[in-house]
Amino acid sequence: MFITLCYLYLWARWGRRPAALVRATVQRLRASRCSFAFCAAAARPRDARVCLSRGGRVFCVGESQSVDDLNKWALFLVSPFILEAEHIAFVTESIWVQGDNLQRPSSSETVVKWSDYCLPLACRPGDPYQLIAKASVDNFSKLGVAFMEDRLQITNGLIPQKIISVHLQDSALKELKDQATDKPARILQPSPDPAAESSLEGKPEPDVMEDPAVLGTEPAQGKGGASGSESAAERDREPGSVELCHLHLSSCHECLELENSTIESVKFASAENIPDLPYDHSSSSEGVADATCPEREGRRVNTTGKAPNILIYVGSDSQEALGRFRQVRSVLADCVDTDNYTLYQLPGESARRDPWSDNCLLLVIATRESVPKDLHRKFMAYLSQGGKVLGLSSPFTFAGFRVRTKDALRDTVQNLVFSRADQSQVKLSVLSSGCIYVGGPGEQLSVDKLQGRLENEDQDRLIVQVPFGTCGGEAVLCQVHLELPPSSSVVQTREDFDLLKSSNMRRYEVLKDILTALGLSCAVKQAPALTPLHLLWAAEEIRDPLMQWLGKHVDLEGVIKSSKLSLRFVPSYTSEIEVTPTAIPVVTDMEAFSSENFNLEIYRQNLRTEQLGKTILFAEVTSTTMSLLEGLMFEMPQEMGLIAIAARQTEGKGRGRNAWLSPAGCALSTLLVSIPLRSNLGQRIPFVQHLMSLAVVEAVRSIPGYQDINLRVKWPNDIYYSDLMKLGGVLVNSTLMGETFYILIGCGFNVTNSNPTICINDLIAEYNKEYGAELKPLRADCLIARTVTVLEKLIDTFQDQGPDGVLPLYYKYWAHSAQQIRLGGEEGPKVWIVGLDDSGFLQVHQEDGKVVTVHPDGNSFDMLRNLIVPKRL
């Protein structure tokens, strides 16, 4: 009877607030060294007492559980972990579930991300997969309640089965310390590049600006206030404030090309970013894309979640094929919005080997050769997944269509009637390939609205639009040379040349209609003209030393030259002064400066650094910020803290041959940082790219009220929305001179631009809609300053404490906790990601229990396919 009354009392007081009940129970009883368990009712520990039951799962208290042998566990942090008195250590047991067996929370449920509420310490792969982590009492309670309500997410396909607090024996910790000291991880050659991030857990948070004027907005306290200042009502609220969408392990994201680190050389080439070739549009991800990237204010938005790549297949590697690629690329670049798309060649070998379909919005098949059968199967698989294909004078066909040769039409000018989707028609003169499309005898062909026929007796079909499959796949196949401009080299008579020339505008109209029907944006914008630089300073005390330094280092014409650029310092700018990519005027009169895209006062108020980011070179439009500092980086005193900031870039740089899309709305900057060679970070330069990526995420999520905006770091150097879409990345160039690394850190991330993928303010708007919050949009100038502030603190922490000083925050935000992958390909050995080693490389746990380091050797890491494979370019 007494027990029944106790339960009635507990239900009356806590029944509507399970989080408060769990928290209060853990807080009261944790000193007794008992264990707390969250599990299925049938699996509760023996002799444990049930405190709360919900939906077949229970929270119970039992005898102390201990972990006394850690030799079979893989350590996440570089050095042995220490459990603070105010934290609870616990083990999470999970099982792998893939495909249709993976249950997803309903849209009304708030998913709680496991890594947001704890710090992983060690793991033991197997069945079940076990993770040791530590968390505060509050966060441990939130994780437990989320588990009981089936809202807890660890990683895609990993489903938690039990959470139980444990006591870590001192003897086990000592053995682990000895193990970490005496047994460094082995090196495994085939795999990816260094990827380490940092954290500030246990360190003071960066200065947080709460003045609305400072942020350039008026931040409101949304769901989930700043930790440490919660009211009692807020503490009792249901846990979890970020809605995440599960993705199947078989679905795919972006492929990251990784480069060799050459610290010993004078030039250190580190990771950049920007899309490579990949992305899978399976049915499992369609709902996610629709839910996370709706059309906004009537603007076209990339709703597939794919990176904005157009891939062009031209067959063999001959000079003729290369010339054809250039022709196709040129005409497509004239049609599509180049702020939203990048165009790459898809070589045959890459088409066979790499997961190109995962990152492809449009596949253009422009080979005149027959498509090999194995590639034809791959192209059809891409179509079946919802892919879009444009065939340009290629024999590629499907769905009952065949290509028939008509020699009389080859390379002749013909009259074409093109039928648009709205039933209207366009008549134009075109250059025929000499082939037409026909169907088999008696076949009823499925043809959509777009089509083009010749004005001849047979009304030969030269353009057809063909849907395929149930996932929205479709192709537009053409046997007219839409890719070729009018030229005397392609026609035989002046009359034909004149006919093609007179139809040239309509040729572009037809091609744009086709590309629009295939889902691309053709709102072409003229490249903006380059503008002068403005020399600004964030602190008045550096003004006089800066101007004195300039007076001593410019030549008689006020110019400082580097190998790639000449900067001419002038008091004011007039239109007579020419601005080119290699010769740029720099205006030194700060009083005359004004810009809608950069508010110096907001930047100043958010910059809380000792050195970094103090001296600013700002341009409305420049070719690339990476080249602006080269002539100053070795000469200007480091305490002046150089940074280049631009509102637009016309030639943004990505890794290798990649382009960096730089539309208006991006936060674009290049920061100069000097690192002593004989220092913690100087011995681990690959960490720099990871620190910068982490700084961007922390710059947003450390603002009060914005901590649940779901920005994450994708290994090694990208900024992602959850693990769904990329919205930024980092490029690092480093030069060793004497005993100092001079490092240029280029960074770009989307703040206000919804295209080409998604931006931070989109995430804020979705968060406000989901939780009824009133968080204000953020500005690029504010976030650049905050990012530089966080980066300086991360660097200081790393220099003081090494990798362990920053890894906890990195693990909190990275997208790979407990991820299962394969090495070398789809048939390669299965491993589990453990974390980062002392040099910043990825550590994985093999099935035989060994922990190995995946060494960068020109590899590719495909996050969604869960593969690490050699990258052969």
Side-chain angles (χ1 to χ4, degrees), residues 775-788:
L775 301 180
K776 302 299 181 183
L778 298 175
R779 293 177 54 101
D781 41 25
C782 163
L783 291 183
I784 291 173
R786 290 183 61 84
T787 297
V788 174

Side-chain angles (χ1 to χ4, degrees), residues 27 59 105 154 166 175 222 257 270 304 323 344 420 440-441 475 496 514 520 533 558 572 643 645 714 743 797 810 868:
Q27 192 68 58
F59 164 53
I154 296 182
V166 295
E175 290 177 8
E257 178 185 350
S270 75
T304 67
Y344 296 107
R420 290 187 170 117
D496 284 346
I514 291 171
L520 275 67
L533 290 168
S572 61
I643 185 172
I645 299 173
K714 179 190 171 186
I743 303 171
T797 302
Y810 170 60
I868 295 180

Side-chain angles (χ1 to χ4, degrees), residues 35 65 122 136 171 183 253 375 459 496 613 620 649 725 758 777:
S35 280
Q65 303 289 318
S136 65
S171 58
K183 299 179 181 179
H253 264 42
L375 290 186
Q459 292 192 334
D496 284 346
E620 295 288 349
Q649 291 184 139
M725 265 182 268
I758 198 168

